[in-house]
């Protein structure tokens, strides 16, 4: 298959990663709830990482519900998608450092990393939505994170991810 065909196959079979974006909405809801509690900021930050640990199981459940090919076997670009996802784990080390150095800004950095890691998926899924949101999220996270408490940023992320999922659904409909 040609590269363009592989990209389209990946986009169609995996519905442009919609299952991961929907799972991330649930995670941001949990993160928002954590940041609305009276715990210390350090505990909230640690629980933020814990909330994120359920991304893959949630995305797998979403893929079953939406009838999405979770594994994408047979398409060599699936390996690129895994690599794009796994590289975020290395960037999370930055957020862990921020937790120790400036805990009240950890969620801001975490959201910026989350948003920026979406950019390679704009190529993988030939998606303008991924490109736009990969730029918008880090900038919005920086602005909101500098001037508002972390729960406001988490609430914003819920709304942004919901809008993003609607945009991805529209892109998927155009594929058919």
């Amino acid at each position: 298959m040609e590269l363009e065909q592989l990209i389209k196959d990946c986009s169609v079979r995996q519905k442009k990663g919609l299952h991961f974006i929907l799972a991330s909405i649930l995670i941001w809801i949990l993160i928002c709830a954590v940041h609305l509690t009276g715990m210390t900021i350090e505990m909230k930050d640690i629980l933020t990482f814990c909330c994120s640990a359920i991304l893959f199981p949630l995305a797998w459940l979403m893929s079953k519900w939406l009838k999405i090919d979770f594994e994408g076997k047979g398409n060599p670009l699936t390996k690129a998608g895994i690599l794009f996802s796994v590289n975020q784990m290395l960037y999370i080390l930055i957020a862990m450092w921020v937790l120790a150095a400036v805990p009240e800004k950890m969620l801001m950095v975490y959201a910026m990393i989350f948003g920026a890691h979406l950019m390679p998926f704009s190529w993988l899924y030939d998606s303008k939505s991924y490109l736009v949101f990969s730029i918008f999220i880090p900038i919005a996270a920086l602005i909101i994170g500098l001037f508002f408490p972390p729960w406001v940023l988490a609430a914003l992320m819920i709304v942004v991810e919901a809008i993003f999922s609607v945009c991805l659904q529209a892109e998927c409909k155009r594929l058919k």
Side-chain angles (χ1 to χ4, degrees), residues 14-22 66 68 165 168-169:
Q14 296 183 335
K15 292 188 182 175
K16 297 195 176 210
L18 180 61
H19 50 304
F20 278 96
I21 302 307
L22 292 172
L66 297 169
I68 295 173
S165 69
L168 285 179
Q169 285 176 319

Side-chain angles (χ1 to χ4, degrees), residues 70-140:
F70 186 79
E71 296 178 33
K73 288 183 180 175
N75 189 324
L77 292 182
T78 300
K79 291 178 184 175
I82 293 168
L83 187 62
F84 297 162
S85 297
V86 172
N87 79 347
Q88 183 182 10
M89 294 301 117
L90 295 174
Y91 303 142
I92 292 300
L93 296 173
I94 298 167
M96 290 179 175
W97 176 83
V98 174
L99 184 148
V102 192
E104 54 280 347
K105 296 302 176 197
M106 193 286 295
L107 192 64
M108 176 186 77
V109 171
Y110 180 84
M112 292 168 71
I113 291 168
F114 168 80
H117 107 281
L118 298 172
M119 189 173 279
F121 292 99
S122 69
W123 173 82
L124 181 65
Y125 296 130
D126 189 24
S127 169
K128 286 186 172 65
S129 296
Y130 272 99
L131 181 61
V132 168
F133 283 92
S134 72
I135 296 167
F136 175 77
I137 291 171
I139 293 168

